[in-house]
Amino acid sequence: QVQLVESGGGLVQAGGSLRLTCVASGRNFKYYRMGWFRQAPGKEREFVAHINWGTGNTYYADSVKGRFTISADNAKNVMYLQMNSLKPEDTAVYSCASPSVPEGNYEFWGQGTQVTVSS
């Protein structure tokens, strides 16, 4: 049974930093494309970044590239999202996600953690 649990959200001033953590359990996630998404009130869910836990390859949305860094510790089944130079528009609920097969569509989601950036 796949479970994803996020933590690390909070309130931060513009220009500050936060580090989000996603603890995954229930299977071997090696070679899976694991991702971070966010959703602000009244807006559609937005892709933030993903990482292949086997190859280490990463990909970022243009809106966060150069400011956010996704990483993973395969041995601990933990994924991180380091967020620097935060902007008010980064305010959203951030969720981690996993597909049911290595390169499949995202099907498993965590409960989300709130990130609020004040101006």
Short mmCIF file of all heavy atoms in Angstrom, two decimals, residues 18 20 33-38 46-53 56-72 79-84 90 94 106:
data_model
loop_
_atom_site.label_atom_id
_atom_site.label_comp_id
_atom_site.label_asym_id
_atom_site.label_seq_id
_atom_site.Cartn_x
_atom_site.Cartn_y
_atom_site.Cartn_z
N LEU A 18 12.35 27.38 2.41
CA LEU A 18 11.73 26.27 3.11
C LEU A 18 12.20 24.98 2.47
O LEU A 18 12.50 24.96 1.27
CB LEU A 18 10.20 26.33 3.05
CG LEU A 18 9.47 27.35 3.92
CD1 LEU A 18 7.98 27.34 3.56
CD2 LEU A 18 9.66 27.04 5.40
N LEU A 20 10.79 21.14 1.99
CA LEU A 20 9.71 20.20 2.13
C LEU A 20 10.23 18.77 2.07
O LEU A 20 11.18 18.48 1.35
CB LEU A 20 8.66 20.40 1.03
CG LEU A 20 8.08 21.81 0.88
CD1 LEU A 20 7.00 21.80 -0.19
CD2 LEU A 20 7.54 22.32 2.20
N ARG A 33 9.27 7.83 -11.39
CA ARG A 33 9.26 9.27 -11.60
C ARG A 33 8.39 9.91 -10.52
O ARG A 33 7.17 9.94 -10.63
CB ARG A 33 8.72 9.60 -13.00
CG ARG A 33 8.82 11.07 -13.37
CD ARG A 33 8.02 11.38 -14.64
NE ARG A 33 6.60 11.26 -14.40
CZ ARG A 33 5.82 10.29 -14.87
NH1 ARG A 33 6.33 9.35 -15.65
NH2 ARG A 33 4.54 10.27 -14.58
N MET A 34 9.03 10.39 -9.47
CA MET A 34 8.34 10.97 -8.33
C MET A 34 8.28 12.49 -8.49
O MET A 34 9.24 13.11 -8.91
CB MET A 34 9.05 10.61 -7.03
CG MET A 34 9.25 9.11 -6.85
SD MET A 34 7.70 8.25 -6.50
CE MET A 34 7.40 8.80 -4.82
N GLY A 35 7.14 13.08 -8.13
CA GLY A 35 6.97 14.50 -8.40
C GLY A 35 6.43 15.32 -7.24
O GLY A 35 5.88 14.81 -6.27
N TRP A 36 6.62 16.63 -7.36
CA TRP A 36 6.02 17.62 -6.49
C TRP A 36 5.05 18.47 -7.30
O TRP A 36 5.38 18.89 -8.42
CB TRP A 36 7.07 18.55 -5.87
CG TRP A 36 7.85 17.96 -4.73
CD1 TRP A 36 9.09 17.42 -4.78
CD2 TRP A 36 7.43 17.87 -3.36
NE1 TRP A 36 9.48 17.00 -3.53
CE2 TRP A 36 8.48 17.26 -2.64
CE3 TRP A 36 6.26 18.25 -2.68
CZ2 TRP A 36 8.41 17.02 -1.26
CZ3 TRP A 36 6.18 18.00 -1.32
CH2 TRP A 36 7.25 17.39 -0.63
N PHE A 37 3.88 18.72 -6.74
CA PHE A 37 2.87 19.56 -7.36
C PHE A 37 2.40 20.59 -6.33
O PHE A 37 2.62 20.43 -5.14
CB PHE A 37 1.68 18.73 -7.84
CG PHE A 37 1.99 17.82 -8.99
CD1 PHE A 37 2.67 16.63 -8.80
CD2 PHE A 37 1.59 18.16 -10.28
CE1 PHE A 37 2.95 15.79 -9.86
CE2 PHE A 37 1.87 17.33 -11.35
CZ PHE A 37 2.55 16.15 -11.14
N ARG A 38 1.72 21.62 -6.81
CA ARG A 38 1.15 22.61 -5.90
C ARG A 38 -0.18 23.11 -6.44
O ARG A 38 -0.44 23.08 -7.64
CB ARG A 38 2.11 23.78 -5.68
CG ARG A 38 2.36 24.64 -6.91
CD ARG A 38 3.45 25.67 -6.62
NE ARG A 38 3.68 26.57 -7.75
CZ ARG A 38 4.63 27.48 -7.79
NH1 ARG A 38 5.46 27.62 -6.75
NH2 ARG A 38 4.77 28.25 -8.85
N GLU A 46 -0.72 22.49 -10.25
CA GLU A 46 0.41 22.85 -11.10
C GLU A 46 1.60 21.95 -10.82
O GLU A 46 1.97 21.72 -9.67
CB GLU A 46 0.78 24.32 -10.86
CG GLU A 46 2.00 24.81 -11.61
CD GLU A 46 2.42 26.21 -11.19
OE1 GLU A 46 2.08 26.61 -10.06
OE2 GLU A 46 3.07 26.90 -11.99
N PHE A 47 2.22 21.48 -11.88
CA PHE A 47 3.45 20.70 -11.75
C PHE A 47 4.59 21.60 -11.29
O PHE A 47 4.74 22.73 -11.77
CB PHE A 47 3.81 20.06 -13.09
CG PHE A 47 5.20 19.52 -13.16
CD1 PHE A 47 5.52 18.30 -12.59
CD2 PHE A 47 6.21 20.23 -13.79
CE1 PHE A 47 6.82 17.79 -12.64
CE2 PHE A 47 7.50 19.74 -13.85
CZ PHE A 47 7.79 18.52 -13.27
N VAL A 48 5.40 21.10 -10.37
CA VAL A 48 6.54 21.85 -9.85
C VAL A 48 7.86 21.23 -10.30
O VAL A 48 8.70 21.89 -10.90
CB VAL A 48 6.51 21.93 -8.32
CG1 VAL A 48 7.77 22.62 -7.79
CG2 VAL A 48 5.27 22.68 -7.85
N ALA A 49 8.05 19.94 -10.01
CA ALA A 49 9.30 19.27 -10.36
C ALA A 49 9.13 17.76 -10.23
O ALA A 49 8.24 17.29 -9.51
CB ALA A 49 10.44 19.73 -9.44
N HIS A 50 9.98 17.00 -10.91
CA HIS A 50 10.01 15.56 -10.69
C HIS A 50 11.43 15.04 -10.74
O HIS A 50 12.34 15.71 -11.24
CB HIS A 50 9.09 14.80 -11.66
CG HIS A 50 9.54 14.74 -13.09
ND1 HIS A 50 8.67 14.98 -14.14
CD2 HIS A 50 10.73 14.44 -13.67
CE1 HIS A 50 9.32 14.84 -15.29
NE2 HIS A 50 10.58 14.52 -15.02
N ILE A 51 11.62 13.85 -10.20
CA ILE A 51 12.92 13.21 -10.17
C ILE A 51 12.74 11.71 -10.39
O ILE A 51 11.82 11.10 -9.85
CB ILE A 51 13.66 13.47 -8.84
CG1 ILE A 51 15.06 12.86 -8.85
CG2 ILE A 51 12.86 12.97 -7.64
CD1 ILE A 51 15.93 13.30 -7.68
N ASN A 52 13.62 11.13 -11.19
CA ASN A 52 13.65 9.68 -11.35
C ASN A 52 14.57 9.14 -10.26
O ASN A 52 15.76 9.44 -10.25
CB ASN A 52 14.16 9.30 -12.74
CG ASN A 52 14.12 7.81 -13.00
OD1 ASN A 52 14.73 7.03 -12.27
ND2 ASN A 52 13.40 7.41 -14.04
N TRP A 53 14.01 8.33 -9.37
CA TRP A 53 14.77 7.87 -8.21
C TRP A 53 15.90 6.92 -8.56
O TRP A 53 16.79 6.69 -7.76
CB TRP A 53 13.82 7.21 -7.19
CG TRP A 53 13.09 8.20 -6.35
CD1 TRP A 53 12.82 9.50 -6.65
CD2 TRP A 53 12.55 7.97 -5.05
NE1 TRP A 53 12.14 10.10 -5.62
CE2 TRP A 53 11.95 9.18 -4.62
CE3 TRP A 53 12.50 6.86 -4.20
CZ2 TRP A 53 11.32 9.31 -3.39
CZ3 TRP A 53 11.87 6.97 -2.96
CH2 TRP A 53 11.29 8.19 -2.57
N GLY A 56 18.29 9.69 -11.16
CA GLY A 56 18.56 11.00 -10.60
C GLY A 56 18.20 12.15 -11.53
O GLY A 56 18.40 13.32 -11.17
N ASN A 57 17.69 11.85 -12.71
CA ASN A 57 17.30 12.90 -13.64
C ASN A 57 16.17 13.73 -13.06
O ASN A 57 15.23 13.20 -12.46
CB ASN A 57 16.85 12.29 -14.97
CG ASN A 57 18.00 11.68 -15.74
OD1 ASN A 57 19.16 11.99 -15.49
ND2 ASN A 57 17.68 10.81 -16.69
N THR A 58 16.25 15.04 -13.26
CA THR A 58 15.26 15.96 -12.72
C THR A 58 14.70 16.86 -13.80
O THR A 58 15.30 17.05 -14.86
CB THR A 58 15.85 16.85 -11.61
OG1 THR A 58 16.95 17.62 -12.15
CG2 THR A 58 16.37 16.00 -10.46
N TYR A 59 13.53 17.41 -13.53
CA TYR A 59 12.88 18.34 -14.44
C TYR A 59 12.09 19.34 -13.61
O TYR A 59 11.46 18.96 -12.62
CB TYR A 59 11.97 17.60 -15.41
CG TYR A 59 11.36 18.48 -16.47
CD1 TYR A 59 12.09 18.83 -17.59
CD2 TYR A 59 10.05 18.95 -16.34
CE1 TYR A 59 11.54 19.64 -18.57
CE2 TYR A 59 9.50 19.76 -17.31
CZ TYR A 59 10.24 20.10 -18.43
OH TYR A 59 9.70 20.89 -19.39
N TYR A 60 12.10 20.62 -14.02
CA TYR A 60 11.45 21.67 -13.26
C TYR A 60 10.52 22.50 -14.12
O TYR A 60 10.79 22.71 -15.31
CB TYR A 60 12.49 22.62 -12.65
CG TYR A 60 13.43 21.97 -11.67
CD1 TYR A 60 14.62 21.39 -12.10
CD2 TYR A 60 13.14 21.95 -10.31
CE1 TYR A 60 15.49 20.80 -11.20
CE2 TYR A 60 14.01 21.37 -9.41
CZ TYR A 60 15.17 20.80 -9.86
OH TYR A 60 16.04 20.21 -8.96
N ALA A 61 9.46 22.98 -13.51
CA ALA A 61 8.62 23.97 -14.16
C ALA A 61 9.41 25.26 -14.32
O ALA A 61 10.25 25.59 -13.48
CB ALA A 61 7.36 24.22 -13.34
N ASP A 62 9.14 25.99 -15.40
CA ASP A 62 9.87 27.24 -15.64
C ASP A 62 9.72 28.23 -14.49
O ASP A 62 10.63 29.01 -14.20
CB ASP A 62 9.38 27.89 -16.94
CG ASP A 62 9.83 27.13 -18.17
OD1 ASP A 62 10.77 26.33 -18.07
OD2 ASP A 62 9.23 27.36 -19.25
N SER A 63 8.58 28.20 -13.82
CA SER A 63 8.30 29.15 -12.76
C SER A 63 9.19 28.97 -11.53
O SER A 63 9.33 29.90 -10.73
CB SER A 63 6.83 29.08 -12.35
OG SER A 63 6.50 27.78 -11.88
N VAL A 64 9.79 27.79 -11.37
CA VAL A 64 10.60 27.53 -10.18
C VAL A 64 12.05 27.20 -10.51
O VAL A 64 12.88 27.12 -9.59
CB VAL A 64 10.00 26.39 -9.33
CG1 VAL A 64 8.54 26.68 -8.99
CG2 VAL A 64 10.13 25.05 -10.05
N LYS A 65 12.36 27.01 -11.77
CA LYS A 65 13.72 26.64 -12.16
C LYS A 65 14.72 27.69 -11.69
O LYS A 65 14.52 28.89 -11.87
CB LYS A 65 13.81 26.47 -13.67
CG LYS A 65 15.10 25.84 -14.15
CD LYS A 65 15.06 25.53 -15.63
CE LYS A 65 16.33 24.83 -16.09
NZ LYS A 65 16.27 24.49 -17.53
N GLY A 66 15.80 27.22 -11.08
CA GLY A 66 16.81 28.11 -10.55
C GLY A 66 16.58 28.51 -9.11
O GLY A 66 17.49 29.04 -8.46
N ARG A 67 15.37 28.26 -8.60
CA ARG A 67 15.05 28.59 -7.21
C ARG A 67 14.78 27.35 -6.37
O ARG A 67 15.11 27.32 -5.19
CB ARG A 67 13.82 29.51 -7.15
CG ARG A 67 14.01 30.83 -7.87
CD ARG A 67 12.84 31.78 -7.61
NE ARG A 67 11.58 31.23 -8.12
CZ ARG A 67 10.51 30.98 -7.37
NH1 ARG A 67 10.54 31.24 -6.06
NH2 ARG A 67 9.40 30.50 -7.92
N PHE A 68 14.17 26.34 -6.97
CA PHE A 68 13.82 25.11 -6.26
C PHE A 68 14.75 23.98 -6.68
O PHE A 68 15.19 23.92 -7.83
CB PHE A 68 12.38 24.68 -6.56
CG PHE A 68 11.31 25.58 -6.01
CD1 PHE A 68 11.61 26.82 -5.46
CD2 PHE A 68 9.99 25.17 -6.05
CE1 PHE A 68 10.61 27.64 -4.96
CE2 PHE A 68 8.98 25.98 -5.56
CZ PHE A 68 9.28 27.22 -5.01
N THR A 69 15.02 23.05 -5.76
CA THR A 69 15.83 21.88 -6.05
C THR A 69 15.15 20.64 -5.51
O THR A 69 14.84 20.57 -4.31
CB THR A 69 17.23 22.00 -5.44
OG1 THR A 69 17.89 23.17 -5.94
CG2 THR A 69 18.07 20.77 -5.80
N ILE A 70 14.91 19.65 -6.38
CA ILE A 70 14.32 18.39 -5.96
C ILE A 70 15.44 17.37 -5.78
O ILE A 70 16.40 17.35 -6.55
CB ILE A 70 13.27 17.90 -6.98
CG1 ILE A 70 12.52 16.67 -6.45
CG2 ILE A 70 13.90 17.61 -8.33
CD1 ILE A 70 11.33 16.27 -7.32
N SER A 71 15.34 16.55 -4.75
CA SER A 71 16.33 15.53 -4.49
C SER A 71 15.67 14.35 -3.80
O SER A 71 14.54 14.45 -3.33
CB SER A 71 17.48 16.07 -3.65
OG SER A 71 17.03 16.51 -2.38
N ALA A 72 16.38 13.22 -3.74
CA ALA A 72 15.83 12.03 -3.12
C ALA A 72 16.92 11.20 -2.46
O ALA A 72 18.07 11.19 -2.93
CB ALA A 72 15.09 11.18 -4.15
N MET A 79 11.97 12.07 -0.28
CA MET A 79 12.17 13.06 -1.32
C MET A 79 12.07 14.44 -0.71
O MET A 79 11.28 14.68 0.20
CB MET A 79 11.12 12.88 -2.42
CG MET A 79 11.25 13.84 -3.59
SD MET A 79 10.14 13.39 -4.97
CE MET A 79 8.53 13.63 -4.20
N TYR A 80 12.86 15.37 -1.23
CA TYR A 80 12.90 16.73 -0.71
C TYR A 80 12.62 17.75 -1.81
O TYR A 80 12.86 17.51 -2.98
CB TYR A 80 14.27 17.04 -0.11
CG TYR A 80 14.71 16.09 0.97
CD1 TYR A 80 15.57 15.03 0.69
CD2 TYR A 80 14.28 16.25 2.28
CE1 TYR A 80 15.98 14.16 1.68
CE2 TYR A 80 14.69 15.38 3.28
CZ TYR A 80 15.53 14.34 2.98
OH TYR A 80 15.94 13.48 3.96
N LEU A 81 12.14 18.90 -1.39
CA LEU A 81 12.02 20.04 -2.27
C LEU A 81 12.57 21.24 -1.52
O LEU A 81 11.92 21.77 -0.61
CB LEU A 81 10.57 20.30 -2.70
CG LEU A 81 10.39 21.42 -3.71
CD1 LEU A 81 10.98 21.02 -5.06
CD2 LEU A 81 8.91 21.77 -3.88
N GLN A 82 13.78 21.65 -1.88
CA GLN A 82 14.39 22.84 -1.30
C GLN A 82 13.91 24.05 -2.08
O GLN A 82 14.12 24.13 -3.29
CB GLN A 82 15.92 22.74 -1.35
CG GLN A 82 16.64 23.96 -0.81
CD GLN A 82 16.44 24.15 0.67
OE1 GLN A 82 16.57 23.20 1.44
NE2 GLN A 82 16.12 25.37 1.09
N MET A 83 13.27 24.98 -1.39
CA MET A 83 12.69 26.15 -2.03
C MET A 83 13.40 27.40 -1.53
O MET A 83 13.33 27.73 -0.35
CB MET A 83 11.20 26.23 -1.75
CG MET A 83 10.43 24.97 -2.12
SD MET A 83 8.64 25.14 -1.90
CE MET A 83 8.58 25.35 -0.11
N ASN A 84 14.09 28.09 -2.42
CA ASN A 84 14.81 29.31 -2.10
C ASN A 84 14.19 30.49 -2.85
O ASN A 84 13.47 30.31 -3.82
CB ASN A 84 16.28 29.19 -2.47
CG ASN A 84 17.00 28.09 -1.71
OD1 ASN A 84 16.69 27.82 -0.55
ND2 ASN A 84 17.98 27.46 -2.35
N ASP A 90 4.30 31.76 -4.89
CA ASP A 90 4.59 30.37 -4.57
C ASP A 90 3.63 29.83 -3.51
O ASP A 90 3.66 28.63 -3.22
CB ASP A 90 6.03 30.22 -4.06
CG ASP A 90 7.07 30.52 -5.12
OD1 ASP A 90 6.88 30.10 -6.28
OD2 ASP A 90 8.08 31.16 -4.78
N TYR A 94 1.38 22.18 -1.22
CA TYR A 94 2.34 21.37 -1.98
C TYR A 94 2.14 19.90 -1.65
O TYR A 94 2.08 19.51 -0.48
CB TYR A 94 3.77 21.79 -1.64
CG TYR A 94 4.18 23.09 -2.28
CD1 TYR A 94 3.63 24.30 -1.84
CD2 TYR A 94 5.09 23.12 -3.33
CE1 TYR A 94 3.99 25.49 -2.43
CE2 TYR A 94 5.46 24.31 -3.92
CZ TYR A 94 4.90 25.50 -3.47
OH TYR A 94 5.27 26.69 -4.07
N TYR A 106 0.54 9.91 -12.62
CA TYR A 106 0.52 10.05 -11.17
C TYR A 106 -0.82 9.58 -10.62
O TYR A 106 -1.88 10.02 -11.07
CB TYR A 106 0.79 11.49 -10.76
CG TYR A 106 2.22 11.90 -11.02
CD1 TYR A 106 2.54 12.76 -12.07
CD2 TYR A 106 3.24 11.43 -10.22
CE1 TYR A 106 3.86 13.12 -12.31
CE2 TYR A 106 4.56 11.79 -10.45
CZ TYR A 106 4.86 12.63 -11.50
OH TYR A 106 6.17 12.99 -11.73
#
